[in-house]
Amino acid sequence: MEETHGSGNDVRIAWSAAREANRLNWDDRAPLHEEAYDAHRFAADPDASHVDHDLAVLGQHLPGGTIAGLDVLHLQCHIGTDTISLARRGARVTGIDFSPASLEVAARLAREASVEVTWVESDALAARSALRGDFDVVFTSVGALVWLSDLELWAEQIAALLRPGGVFYVRDGHPMLYALDESGEPLTVRNRYFANGAAQMWDDAGTYVGDGTTEHTRTYEWPHSLSEIIGSLLRAGLRLERFDEGQTLPWRWSPIMVPTDEGWVLPDHLRDKVPCEFTLVAVKP
């Protein structure tokens, strides 16, 4: 049961209820993002890729320097543009997501792109039971972790899905950035940085890209500090190999952000003051 309502307010809600509300919202987002991403043009271009920046980092931690020929799992794959990008770079790829509408779009795009991808419907917190076999790489794209209530369980899934010597890679928005009010300057702290067992409830018809609106507007997110993210992976038995912080995002988090060739960044006078993203690489011994 929810205790309170409001934009960004803490609520106590069961994972199953929050998951269902989020699924409805992400089902609504799937066709909107299919259009906003210009996904069919992406699928038609055999050279198009959304993950080359990530692979430049990830490759440094792979025995052959490439994902080609490896078994790769993409957690929280949404409509699959990153998943297809991984397949285009030679991996045997499985994409998993809890939104059936997103997976329908993903499967259609993969057919248009003439790449083989296995699609599985499940949330990341139940990934191990939803999948057969194990993987050389587990990959997570930007904007994923705030949708998960339990990072201890998340990390246990990753550890159980990786082969010995397997690599986990995640690039995501920085928790410090998420604690700030994105509406404009001055940047002030508005949201929780640390987890406290509650979700934050939001009611917003928009999405992070494009002008479309959703029918199911209520969503639930969970703040996770860097110490929680890293600690959960260490407690699951993984070994931290790399941790970086960056100044760029692939979406416009705030109207004050400005575009560059690499993505969206804060204006010059703020760029060295606030991290926008982090990248983490961990290995299963």
Side-chain angles (χ1 to χ4, degrees), residues 52-178:
D52 287 349
H53 168 82
D54 300 292
L55 295 184
V57 176
L58 176 59
Q60 298 174 40
H61 302 273
L62 298 175
T66 176
I67 62 168
L70 300 183
D71 293 310
V72 176
L73 172 64
H74 182 190
L75 291 177
Q76 297 170 267
C77 68
H78 190 34
I79 64 169
T81 51
D82 286 6
T83 327
I84 292 167
S85 299
L86 294 167
R88 280 176 165 163
R89 296 300 179 254
R92 294 182 294 273
V93 185
T94 298
I96 187 169
D97 198 88
F98 77 147
S99 162
S102 296
L103 292 176
E104 288 178 11
V105 174
R108 183 165 62 250
L109 294 175
R111 289 192 297 270
E112 293 177 15
S114 300
V115 300
E116 293 290 332
V117 177
T118 300
W119 306 104
V120 176
E121 183 182 333
S122 172
D123 64 68
L125 300 186
R128 177 62 281 179
S129 62
L131 295 161
R132 294 182 179 180
D134 47 21
F135 298 86
D136 299 300
V137 175
V138 174
F139 179 93
T140 298
S141 307
V142 179
L145 300 190
V146 296
W147 300 99
L148 304 177
S149 64
D150 186 343
L151 289 198
E152 297 293 323
L153 181 56
W154 165 78
E156 290 170 5
Q157 306 301 299
I158 293 166
L161 286 161
L162 284 171
R163 295 168 182 157
V167 177
F168 172 63
Y169 175 92
V170 58
R171 178 166 62 99
D172 209 337
H174 201 288
M176 178 181 173
L177 187 74
Y178 291 161

Side-chain angles (χ1 to χ4, degrees), residues 21 25-26 38 47 106 110 131 136 153 185 218 254 282:
N25 178 263
W26 281 92
D38 201 3
D47 297 320
L131 295 161
D136 299 300
L153 181 56
E185 291 194 70
R218 183 168 293 185
S254 168

Side-chain angles (χ1 to χ4, degrees), residues 7 9 12 14 21 27 72 75 117 129 132-133 157 162 166 185 192 194-195 199 202 211 248 258 265 272 276:
S7 182
N9 285 350
R12 297 286 177 174
D27 281 351
V72 176
L75 291 177
V117 177
S129 62
R132 294 182 179 180
Q157 306 301 299
L162 284 171
E185 291 194 70
R192 272 190 296 115
F194 292 103
W202 302 93
D211 299 322
T248 306
V258 295
V265 298
D272 292 336
C276 288

Side-chain angles (χ1 to χ4, degrees), residues 4 18 27 33 60 68 87 100 169 186 204 230 255 282:
T4 184
D27 281 351
H33 291 175
Q60 298 174 40
Y169 175 92
D204 185 355
I230 295 171

